[in-house]
Amino acid sequence: MLNNKNILVTGGTGSFGKKFIEMTFKKFSPNKIIVYSRDEFKQDVLKKDISMKTPEILPNIRFFIGDVRDKERLSRAFKGVDYVIHAAAMKQVPACEYNPFEAIKTNIHGAQNVIDAALDRGVKKVVALSTDKAVNPINLYGGTKLVSDKLFISANAYSGKSGTNFSIVRYGNVAGSRGSVIPFFKDLIDKGVREMPITDFKMTRFWITLDQGVELVYKALEEAVGGETYISKIPSFKITDLAKAMLAECELKEVGIREGEKIHEVMVTKDDSRFTMEFDKHFIIIPHFDWWDPNKGKLTGGKRVELGFEYTSGGNTDWLDVSDLRRELKKNGFC
């Protein structure tokens, strides 16, 4: 699928970008992967890390300084590109709340720039990374990502029958990724803290690893015909159980929910159920537009979910307990 292809990853120095590069060169033989991001220091760190671990892939990687806010720069970077993975975003909820105009410029205007550049340059496929926070958003980050998702889905109406194909993959906080709860807890444990702060004892989250996140992107690249939102079927866990899995003898202290934080992650709403197909390992929310042709999508083997169905971390049927979490943490090198 990706053999001899040119692939560009916006925000490519983040956790997802690093894992995508690692897995893609193991599974495929791409012509080149372009890392597009605005921080030259992070690009230099990534380049040095690759040169130490897998120097043989370095000739097939390009480091392109640029901001998704800069449409002209994106257009230059997209020349000759087959596939784009859009991972760049302002993601930290408090930062977006305090700097709303900046979040809008990156997450909304940046999305529009990626779409325009992809259409103008004839990119074959674009997969945009979404988040559970875009579903029934209660904070600005979620609001901007909701708009971004809508832009990418609607962009298919402008691409024509043989033009750029735009799709979405949605998941919550990835286990062990920068800014997630696992490195936060680990840092406290390393400092000798034995009382773990829990915002709300009822809080639950979905468990997804970076590997699974990249695999979902591969699936969208392989299957999507334009407008679909892909969601993995994954287990849930309680935040209190995660703390116990990381530090068996810890004390738990409820410190209160943060601004813009949800008790449970939501991936599919009851309203989405009218347009959601269920498969063995994932869901697909299909577009509800007159340009969508249900006969062209690769929906074989799927079935419509029941009306009123919702997919949330709190209402999941698949759960990880403390021992399961401890095993997953060890398997993924988090402890």
Side-chain angles (χ1 to χ4, degrees):
M1 177 179 64
L2 299 182
N3 292 338
N4 303 313
K5 301 298 183 183
N6 297 323
I7 309 145
L8 182 143
V9 185
T10 69
T13 59
S15 302
F16 172 86
K18 294 174 184 176
K19 180 58 69 171
F20 180 83
I21 291 170
E22 174 191 327
M23 289 179 61
T24 300
F25 277 102
K26 285 181 180 179
K27 285 176 170 282
F28 307 99
S29 298
N31 182 50
K32 64 181 174 182
I33 292 180
I34 302 166
V35 175
Y36 183 95
S37 65
R38 63 185 180 180
D39 190 328
E40 73 275 16
F41 176 73
K42 290 179 183 176
Q43 286 197 7
D44 186 56
V45 170
L46 177 58
K47 187 175 183 179
K48 289 175 179 175
D49 186 57
I50 292 171
S51 65
M52 289 288 291
K53 296 178 180 177
T54 50
E56 67 278 6
I57 71 173
L58 208 52
N60 298 96
I61 300 178
R62 303 290 183 270
F63 294 90
F64 209 113
I65 298 294
D67 197 315
V68 293
R69 300 180 183 188
D70 188 340
K71 184 177 176 180
E72 290 184 4
R73 188 64 170 164
L74 279 170
S75 183
R76 178 65 59 83
F78 280 19
K79 185 177 180 180
V81 168
D82 298 296
Y83 299 133
V84 170
I85 315 301
H86 180 52
M90 277 187 63
K91 300 181 178 73
Q92 193 181 59
V93 170
C96 290
E97 295 294 321
Y98 190 72
N99 304 278
F101 303 129
E102 300 305 304
I104 289 168
K105 288 175 186 176
T106 296
N107 296 354
I108 297 178
H109 298 166
Q112 181 68 64
N113 289 337
V114 168
I115 291 165
D116 287 338
L119 290 170
D120 293 343
R121 285 297 191 182
V123 171
K124 294 180 178 67
K125 287 192 175 186
V126 176
V127 176
L129 273 56
S130 182
T131 168
D132 68 287
K133 296 173 182 65
V135 182
N136 292 338
I138 62 171
N139 53 55
L140 187 76
Y141 169 52
T144 60
K145 291 299 287 184
L146 170 63
V147 175
S148 173
D149 289 358
K150 297 291 187 183
L151 288 172
F152 279 106
I153 292 170
S154 296
N156 289 281
Y158 295 85
S159 59
K161 291 184 178 180
S162 59
T164 309
N165 167 323
F166 299 89
S167 60
I168 305 288
V169 297
R170 176 182 294 160
Y171 36 78
N173 289 328
V174 177
S177 62
R178 188 176 59 199
S180 65
V181 68
I182 291 174
F184 172 67
F185 281 168
K186 187 175 186 304
D187 183 58
L188 292 177
I189 293 168
D190 290 344
K191 291 177 179 177
V193 174
R194 292 295 177 264
E195 185 179 70
M196 306 304 287
I198 309 293
T199 54
D200 191 294
F201 286 162
K202 299 184 296 296
M203 187 168 288
T204 66
R205 290 293 182 262
F206 284 108
W207 178 274
I208 187 168
T209 64
L210 278 169
D211 293 65
Q212 291 172 310
V214 173
E215 289 289 351
L216 190 62
V217 169
Y218 290 155
K219 188 160 195 66
L221 284 172
E222 183 178 11
E223 292 186 0
V225 297
E228 303 97 323
T229 300
Y230 285 76
I231 299 156
S232 289
K233 293 169 76 172
I234 46 181
S236 296
F237 66 93
K238 298 176 182 178
I239 295 295
T240 52
D241 284 348
L242 177 66
K244 293 173 186 176
M246 295 187 70
L247 186 63
E249 304 300 324
C250 70
E251 297 291 330
L252 303 178
K253 179 182 180 182
E254 194 170 44
V255 296
I257 197 165
R258 296 174 296 178
E259 185 179 39
E261 193 173 28
K262 291 183 178 181
I263 300 294
H264 308 294
E265 291 182 331
V266 181
M267 298 294 181
V268 179
T269 68
K270 291 180 180 180
D271 289 324
D272 287 329
S273 66
R274 293 178 294 160
F275 315 109
T276 301
M277 302 287 293
E278 181 178 5
F279 299 81
D280 287 342
K281 296 183 179 180
H282 65 285
F283 298 98
I284 296 178
I285 302 175
I286 59 177
H288 186 53
F289 290 97
D290 54 8
W291 49 260
W292 167 260
D293 180 1
N295 297 314
K296 70 177 181 178
K298 294 187 179 180
L299 303 177
T300 304
K303 64 179 182 179
R304 293 269 185 174
V305 301
E306 293 183 3
L307 193 64
F309 168 84
E310 60 180 350
Y311 187 49
T312 73
S313 61
N316 202 357
T317 57
D318 185 10
W319 287 84
L320 300 175
D321 60 20
V322 173
S323 60
D324 294 327
L325 286 165
R326 194 170 287 130
R327 183 184 65 249
E328 289 294 325
L329 289 165
K330 185 176 181 179
K331 182 172 73 174
N332 289 281
F334 299 140
C335 65

